[in-house]
Structures are given as C-alpha cells and as structure tokens.
Amino acid sequence: MDKLTPEQRSKCMSRVRSKDTKPEMIVRRLLHSRGYRYRLHDRRLPGKPDLTFARRRKVVFVHGCFWHMHEGCKRAGIPKSRIGFWKLKLENNRTRDQLNIARLAEMGWRVLVVWECELRDVEAVAKKLEDFLRS
C-alpha cells in the first residue's frame, strides 16, 4: 500500500528529472575536468544520448538503476504497489534502451552505459570512460 495520497505521489514523481540528474552531472564534470568536450542530449540520435562525442562516433548513457532495471543491483527492484503498472513501465524502458543501443550500433556509433551505482567508485568510472573514449 502506498503511504502517499495520489496527489502527493504525483507531485513526488513530477520532480523526477530525465536530464541533468546527479549521476549525469558527476559524469559530465568528470569528463570536462579531463579535457573532454561533448554535446548533450542530441535529439538526432536514437535515445537522445546523455553525452555525444561526434568526431569519435561515441555516446554515453548515464542510467539510473531503478528506471532502467540494472540487473543484479539492489536499487533495481519493482515497487510493492501497482506492481503490474511498474513492471510494464520498467520493462518497456529496458526494451527501449536495448533498441536504441542496437540502432546506434547499426549507425556506426559505439555506446557506453554508466550505471548510477557504479558512481560510488568515481575513479573506476573515470578509468572506464577514458578507456572507452581512447579506444
């Protein structure tokens, strides 16, 4: 049972952002401080990648573990209320992500996904990003 009224839940959910999230900002600052420049949320590409490195033909998605159902992550559970709604919504997000990654690959783009939970070790993420961008 949800502890919030429908109005309170609606207000809470309306504050969930799709851009400029805390994990995304951490990745952006990390890359910018290392001299990398990028475009944000390029609408011309499938899935509007969070970061686009056009000359390198590479994109980075910064995914929240809950919203994108990160397998094996404790943050990726299904809420206990409205299970049918949430299961369908989150599975659709995952399917859409897979489709967008496949479409980007067909277009010749390389894709890296950084998960929210990975950002607990910022140096490991920095190395992962640098390795991806240098390859």
Side-chain angles (χ1 to χ4, degrees):
M1 190 72 178
D2 197 351
K3 295 178 182 178
L4 301 177
T5 67
E7 294 79 22
Q8 290 171 322
R9 176 62 58 206
S10 178
K11 185 176 180 181
C12 179
M13 295 306 289
S14 72
R15 291 186 174 6
V16 176
R17 298 178 296 175
S18 63
K19 296 180 184 176
D20 303 331
T21 62
K22 186 174 181 180
E24 183 184 327
M25 296 304 290
I26 291 169
V27 171
R28 285 164 48 178
R29 285 187 199 109
L30 191 70
L31 288 169
H32 195 271
S33 70
R34 286 169 166 73
Y36 291 99
R37 299 301 180 255
Y38 45 81
R39 294 274 176 226
L40 298 174
H41 314 289
D42 191 339
R43 291 177 178 217
R44 298 170 295 179
L45 295 175
K48 293 188 285 186
D50 296 312
L51 306 170
T52 303
F53 302 86
R55 278 186 266 144
R56 300 169 192 262
R57 303 242 349 133
K58 295 180 181 183
V59 297
V60 175
F61 286 99
V62 182
H63 283 340
C65 295
F66 171 75
W67 293 106
H68 298 271
M69 290 183 71
H70 185 201
E71 265 186 62
C73 182
K74 65 180 180 180
R75 297 178 183 188
I78 305 241
K80 291 178 175 52
S81 64
R82 299 186 65 202
I83 294 170
F85 166 81
W86 282 109
K87 189 170 182 168
L88 179 63
K89 176 166 184 55
L90 298 175
E91 285 176 356
N92 285 344
N93 286 351
R94 179 186 276 173
T95 301
R96 186 184 65 241
D97 292 341
Q98 292 168 346
L99 178 63
N100 287 332
I101 289 170
R103 289 172 58 202
L104 284 162
E106 287 171 8
M107 296 168 65
W109 289 82
R110 294 201 44 225
V111 178
L112 176 70
V113 175
V114 175
W115 291 96
E116 172 185 18
C117 64
E118 291 177 317
L119 291 169
R120 283 182 261 153
D121 185 353
V122 176
E123 286 308 311
V125 171
K127 181 173 177 8
K128 180 179 176 178
L129 287 162
E130 293 224 14
D131 291 345
F132 173 70
L133 292 170
R134 286 186 184 153
S135 65

